[in-house]
Amino acid sequence: MTIIYAAATAPVNSPGVSPVITLKQLWAGLELKARKPQLFLPVIDTCDVLEDDGQTVLREVKFKDGGGVGMAPVIGPKVQENITSIAPISDNAGSGVETFQSMGNASKVLNIVSSGMGGELLLTFTFEWEHKEIEEGSEEAVKKQNQYQQTAPRGVAGTISAIRQMVKDGKL
């Protein structure tokens, strides 16, 4: 058994991009992603929110075709996740985090909002995928980590792109 890690960070507002996404809009997009991930991740078919107290969400996600190449390990056709949000404390706080914990295994994803040295808004996704079938340090573990690391930047970029489109459309 091994835990395979991957991570990626991207600037939310690259030079010349329009519209500029504010911290408030970015966080609203991430909150929507916790409740309606199929709007952001094409591999997700449906999402049922089972509990939602505003800070913690319990959801059941159904994946299309049981996941996908390079995607998270899928335990079955449906996966339950507990999502905890620690929102930015103000519109200029510059940070917040959402933790997605899979139920029934040690897999975990963090969506981290932060700011860089120049105050630029950054979005980081970290992934910890449990693989009971893969031996730690094995060639298969290295191959799987490389696969996940290649898909991680696309996940961040895709989320930012979806949020930017929602801002353009006046939905955030």
Side-chain angles (χ1 to χ4, degrees), residues 30-170:
L30 292 175
E31 288 287 289
L32 182 61
K33 184 174 171 253
R35 290 160 179 83
K36 295 186 179 186
Q38 64 273 29
L39 299 176
F40 298 82
L41 302 166
V43 73
I44 294 178
D45 188 27
T46 61
C47 175
D48 294 319
V49 174
L50 306 174
E51 296 175 19
D52 187 347
D53 69 9
Q55 187 174 353
T56 303
V57 173
L58 177 63
R59 71 182 189 186
E60 186 171 79
V61 173
K62 180 180 177 286
F63 289 88
K64 294 176 182 174
D65 303 318
V69 176
M71 301 308 295
V74 176
I75 300 166
K78 292 185 178 181
V79 175
Q80 283 192 357
E81 294 177 305
N82 192 51
I83 303 154
T84 304
S85 299
I86 301 172
I89 60 171
S90 70
D91 288 345
N92 61 357
S95 63
V97 65
E98 287 185 325
T99 303
F100 297 72
Q101 177 67 57
S102 294
M103 306 300 282
N105 69 33
S107 296
K108 181 171 39 175
V109 176
L110 274 67
N111 292 184
I112 304 167
V113 174
S114 63
S115 49
M117 295 286 289
E120 68 277 13
L121 202 52
L122 303 171
L123 181 60
T124 299
F125 288 178
T126 67
F127 303 91
E128 301 175 23
W129 299 125
E130 178 182 304
H131 281 277
K132 292 181 181 178
E133 77 286 3
I134 297 177
E135 183 180 331
E136 187 174 348
S138 68
E139 189 174 311
E140 186 178 4
V142 170
K143 181 180 176 184
K144 188 62 80 175
Q145 194 282 329
N146 286 335
Q147 188 179 37
Y148 288 154
Q149 190 58 52
Q150 288 176 7
T151 62
R154 290 195 299 263
V156 177
T159 296
I160 293 169
S161 178
I163 291 171
R164 190 171 320 285
Q165 188 60 51
M166 290 175 188
V167 170
K168 278 182 187 177
D169 295 343

